[in-house]
Amino acid sequence: MVYRSEIDGLRAVSIISVLLYHAGLSVFSGGYAGVDVFFVISGFLITSIIYREMTDGTFTFTGFYIRRIRRIIPALLALVLFTTVCSYFVLFPRDFVLSSKAAIAAIFSFSNVDFLFQAFDMTLTADSKPLLHTWSLAVEEQFYFFFPFLMIIVSKFRKNLVLPFIILAFFVSLGISVWGVANKPLHAFFLLPFRGYELLFGAFCAFVLVPKHWPRWVSEAGSAIGLAMIMATMVLYDSVRFPGFAALLPVVGAGLVIIFNANGLTGAGRLLSTRPMVWTGKISYSLYLFHGPLFVYAHYMAIDKLTPVEIVGLLALSFLLGWLSWKYVETPFRRAKAPPARIFAYAGIAAALLVVPRLVIISMDGIPQRFSDKTLQILAAADYSKDYMARCQNPDAPMNDPAGACVFGADVTPRIALFGDSHGAGLLDELGRQAAARDESILALVRPGCPAVTDYYRIAGLSDTACLRFAEKSMDYIVDTPSIDVAVVAGNYVAYVEGPDPSLGPAADFPFPTLENGNGQILDRNARLDLFRQRFTAMIDRMLAAGKKVVLVYPIPEVGYHVTYTSARLSITDKEDNFASRPRQVFENRARDIVEIMDSLGDKPNLVRVDPAASLCDSSACWFYKDNKPLYLDDNHLNTNGARIVSDEVIPVLDHLMASSGRQALRTADAADKPAN
């Protein structure tokens, strides 16, 4: 295949956008779409090679996969070795175990599936996953496994059916992706069937030829428009439904650049073919591999936000490691001459040598002996509603089926429903434990990442119209089910309205999803607040009108940093923990409007309020520790200690409401059940 320098330049655009996105540059808020450009390039190159060899009669599966092994495996195995060593010194035991499982998954090309399942564990963050970025590599490798077989099968019938097959497969995958974004957003992000259309568009480009007699300006315009589409994605996209239709902008843009430079370089092609761009494109694979863990480790170890100097240093180190890997790993192995059997054997042996240490790490529970007893005690406190996580927080949980939702407490028909997001879910284990001792149970109508309010919208990688359906079905069930007497409402409403607050600390850097109304219009902060006021008030009024008793849990104070990890890191250095509290005024200022909306509901017989701040804060500060025990899992979710404190405020309220409904009251917690805090 003829070398095309502008494709290396296109790779450079992709990797630079990804790097700047991970560096936190707000101007590149859509830089994550650089991965989608990579997909198009891969689909184009692979299809071009396969189809040419099929036409020439020289295609063999052995030859194809030998080239893939030489291209992909050496640098990937170098990455696994690098992260094995670094993770030993950086990651805490649980994360070391999960990282080891991910490393094995990456070697065998299914890390996208592994990270999909990890994504359902909301106690895990991206900053604890040094191999998270290998999900895209797994998608490509899976495409390489299936696509050649399908092309061969189709061509056996008629060779001229290959292109129609690719077009049909493209639209099928696009349709699946559009559906997935609305119904299975995490699946749509990680899995090949939802991403395949991006690679297939690249495959389609391999068959498109621009007639040489066309006016030159057509190619110039097409190429320039394509590059502009890619750049527009990088700077204009933020929190959008992705991939789905949204991914077509960078995908089609990349395809236009490829198509309109086939007969000679255009102006955009010459820009992409400059020396720096081509050099960056050549090392882009290794650069992509090694930049990921560097940024993860830096954020993982940081007590506070990374400084601009530190970010520049990470970028420079990424380029250095990327170049070293390209020069001393990628290039030599790609050029090496060896019989296919030997290459397969070498790859297998090398993979086994890297898998074994990871299996040992898993068997040793992440080698906790690396840390002191003090650090391990802090980490042990990082538990979040374990029963909920084990039984309910998984891909197969019927989140939109209230009748099949998890029940906590005794084996009796629930008379209490908890409607909430992850903040509500965090209370379930403790409330369930206390309810079980009283022969009561609680129905868990919770979905992390979804606002616990009807007709309120949220778009992003974790949530979308599925949240709307969840809230609507949950509320219908509460209102229409006679056995439900009491509804406990608890959610992270401040974050949904206010979004991230940089003043809260490093954890606030997470790009919280943008909200929209029913017409797809993005809402600014005031519009989000007004919509919340209307929808939340209407929801509470609807439950009260149906004769339900409502326990309204006020906002939980936010921390702004990962309490467990920060405390554990400080324990290693024996530094004083200066993050034990935040001024109460900071919390009150941020939560003021949400509290005002909740207060404005007025005093009603069947509406009772519980304010976690009354127990978690004093007059001047909100505390994240009590009796030297952490109360939070991360920057905003309570651990078992914190949940116990808030639950002890909720239980007396439930006692009162159940008694007033003529039911047997929930008994006051036994002394043995009282928290030590």
Side-chain angles (χ1 to χ4, degrees):
M1 183 175 178
V2 177
Y3 172 69
R4 293 178 55 177
S5 57
E6 81 280 4
I7 290 182
D8 269 332
L10 202 54
R11 286 189 175 113
V13 171
S14 303
I15 186 58
I16 291 172
S17 65
V18 171
L19 282 171
L20 295 180
Y21 171 72
H22 287 152
L25 269 68
S26 58
V27 70
F28 277 85
S29 58
Y32 54 83
V35 170
D36 305 271
V37 176
F38 276 128
F39 285 157
V40 176
I41 295 171
S42 295
F44 168 75
L45 293 175
I46 291 302
T47 306
S48 298
I49 294 170
I50 294 174
Y51 193 74
R52 186 193 72 236
E53 293 184 350
M54 284 171 52
T55 303
D56 296 341
T58 59
F59 177 81
T60 65
F61 286 106
T62 299
F64 175 78
Y65 289 114
I66 285 294
R67 288 194 298 269
R68 293 300 88 207
I69 289 174
R70 284 176 169 168
R71 174 76 175 95
I72 294 172
I73 297 302
L76 176 62
L77 295 182
L79 173 73
V80 172
L81 175 61
F82 174 78
T83 55
T84 301
V85 175
C86 292
S87 295
Y88 177 88
F89 294 101
V90 175
L91 299 184
F92 294 123
R94 183 196 183 197
D95 296 326
F96 201 14
V97 168
L98 293 174
S99 173
S100 295
K101 292 179 179 178
I104 296 172
I107 290 173
F108 293 104
S109 304
F110 63 92
S111 61
N112 58 331
V113 178
D114 182 64
F115 287 120
L116 168 66
F117 281 90
Q118 285 193 32
F120 286 92
D121 186 343
M122 46 75 55
T123 66
L124 301 175
T125 67
D127 287 341
S128 65
K129 304 173 184 178
L131 294 172
L132 176 59
H133 62 315
T134 63
W135 73 266
S136 62
L137 186 60
V139 169
E140 285 194 26
E141 290 167 342
Q142 291 159 15
F143 180 80
Y144 299 154
F145 180 80
F146 292 108
F147 187 64
F149 286 98
L150 294 175
M151 282 191 68
I152 293 295
I153 292 172
V154 172
S155 67
K156 290 294 184 183
F157 289 97
R158 290 183 62 179
K159 192 168 290 186
N160 60 3
L161 290 179
V162 172
L163 180 57
F165 163 74
I166 290 173
I167 294 174
L168 176 63
F170 167 83
F171 282 108
V172 170
S173 177
L174 175 60
I176 293 173
S177 184
V178 172
W179 175 87
V181 164
N183 297 277
K184 295 281 188 179
L186 289 171
H187 294 73
F189 184 87
F190 283 110
L191 300 185
L192 175 62
F194 304 88
R195 290 280 191 172
Y197 72 99
E198 302 176 40
L199 292 129
L200 288 165
F201 191 81
F204 167 76
C205 292
F207 290 88
V208 178
L209 297 176
V210 176
K212 292 184 178 181
H213 64 270
W214 277 19
R216 184 63 182 170
W217 68 264
V218 174
S219 293
E220 292 286 350
S223 182
I225 291 171
L227 187 57
M229 292 171 68
I230 296 172
M231 298 311 299
T233 304
M234 308 309 175
V235 300
L236 296 180
Y237 277 15
D238 190 357
S239 293
V240 298
R241 292 187 175 101
F242 205 87
F245 285 128
L248 288 177
L249 187 61
V251 165
V252 174
L256 292 178
V257 172
I258 291 171
I259 291 170
F260 286 107
N261 283 276
N263 292 332
L265 292 178
T266 63
R270 285 189 293 273
L271 178 63
L272 293 172
S273 297
T274 56
R275 239 183 194 173
M277 297 295 286
V278 170
W279 179 82
T280 303
K282 286 183 179 296
I283 70 168
S284 60
Y285 174 54
S286 284
L287 179 54
Y288 179 77
L289 288 181
F290 283 90
H291 93 280
L294 290 178
F295 276 89
V296 166
Y297 292 140
H299 285 291
Y300 192 90
M301 294 186 294
I303 299 297
D304 211 335
K305 296 172 65 174
L306 296 179
T307 66
V309 173
E310 290 170 332
I311 291 174
V312 170
L314 286 171
L315 291 172
L317 185 56
S318 297
F319 271 92
L320 175 60
L321 291 181
W323 175 77
L324 289 172
S325 173
W326 170 75
K327 184 173 179 62
Y328 296 107
V329 179
E330 274 193 72
T331 303
F333 280 94
R334 196 182 308 167
R335 294 176 179 174
K337 301 295 183 182
R342 188 175 298 175
I343 291 176
F344 282 120
Y346 286 164
I349 293 171
L353 290 175
L354 290 171
V355 166
V356 169
R358 292 293 193 162
L359 290 175
V360 171
I361 292 165
I362 294 170
S363 68
M364 295 180 65
D365 296 323
I367 316 179
Q369 297 85 352
R370 295 173 294 144
F371 300 97
S372 67
D373 290 342
K374 179 180 179 181
T375 300
L376 294 176
Q377 287 173 1
I378 293 172
L379 295 172
D383 53 349
Y384 166 89
S385 221
K386 290 181 179 178
D387 189 28
Y388 166 77
M389 293 298 294
R391 295 198 291 121
C392 314
Q393 184 65 349
N394 64 73
D396 300 317
M399 292 182 175
N400 287 331
D401 179 15
C406 292
V407 176
F408 290 75
D411 187 16
V412 296
T413 300
R415 296 186 290 186
I416 304 168
L418 192 152
F419 178 46
D421 56 10
S422 58
H423 279 204
L427 304 176
L428 281 170
D429 276 19
E430 187 60 27
L431 288 177
R433 183 183 67 83
Q434 298 197 41
R438 298 151 180 82
D439 199 28
E440 291 285 351
S441 64
I442 300 173
L443 183 68
L445 300 179
V446 296
R447 182 162 183 163
C450 288
V453 55
T454 49
D455 297 324
Y456 200 55
Y457 290 67
R458 173 182 170 185
I459 59 174
L462 295 180
S463 190
D464 43 69
T465 56
C467 285
L468 291 172
R469 296 195 303 277
F470 157 73
E472 180 182 357
K473 290 184 178 181
S474 296
M475 192 49 50
D476 288 345
Y477 189 86
I478 291 172
V479 170
D480 297 336
T481 304
S483 60
I484 298 296
D485 291 327
V486 179
V488 180
V489 180
N492 190 12
Y493 299 114
V494 174
Y496 297 124
V497 171
E498 301 294 344
D501 183 355
S503 68
L504 287 175
D509 284 342
F510 182 78
F512 211 81
T514 302
L515 293 156
E516 63 174 16
N517 63 15
N519 298 320
Q521 298 169 318
I522 300 299
L523 303 179
D524 61 22
R525 184 265 176 193
N526 290 334
R528 294 197 299 268
L529 180 65
D530 290 341
L531 182 63
F532 177 78
R533 186 189 308 274
Q534 298 168 22
R535 302 293 197 254
F536 189 78
T537 301
M539 181 185 74
I540 299 298
D541 287 343
R542 182 187 175 195
M543 286 190 287
L544 294 173
K548 307 299 178 181
K549 297 173 175 59
V550 178
V551 178
L552 185 54
V553 180
Y554 274 51
I556 293 172
E558 298 165 294
V559 179
Y561 70 96
H562 198 295
V563 172
T564 300
Y565 284 172
T566 302
S567 300
R569 293 184 195 107
L570 290 170
S571 72
I572 294 172
T573 59
D574 290 327
K575 291 182 179 179
E576 181 181 355
D577 190 345
N578 295 318
F579 299 90
S581 68
R582 287 291 172 94
R584 179 166 182 157
Q585 193 63 46
V586 172
F587 161 67
E588 291 182 344
N589 289 343
R590 181 163 161 80
R592 178 179 292 113
D593 287 328
I594 298 300
V595 170
E596 185 274 326
I597 290 172
M598 294 180 171
D599 288 344
S600 70
L601 294 170
D603 295 327
K604 300 174 182 178
N606 287 340
L607 176 62
V608 185
R609 299 168 171 86
V610 173
D611 186 3
S615 301
L616 298 173
C617 308
D618 56 28
S619 60
S620 60
C622 292
W623 294 90
F624 312 139
Y625 295 83
K626 192 168 187 179
D627 297 336
N628 293 320
K629 297 179 180 179
L631 305 180
Y632 286 76
L633 166 72
D634 49 26
D635 64 295
N636 66 95
H637 295 95
L638 297 173
N639 64 11
T640 298
N641 295 328
R644 186 177 297 123
I645 291 175
V646 175
S647 296
D648 280 350
E649 298 296 323
V650 175
I651 286 295
V653 171
L654 293 176
D655 274 338
H656 170 73
L657 292 177
M658 297 298 283
S660 66
S661 67
R663 307 274 189 175
Q664 179 182 356
L666 292 173
R667 298 193 301 274
T668 305
D670 297 330
D673 289 336
K674 282 288 186 181
N677 295 15

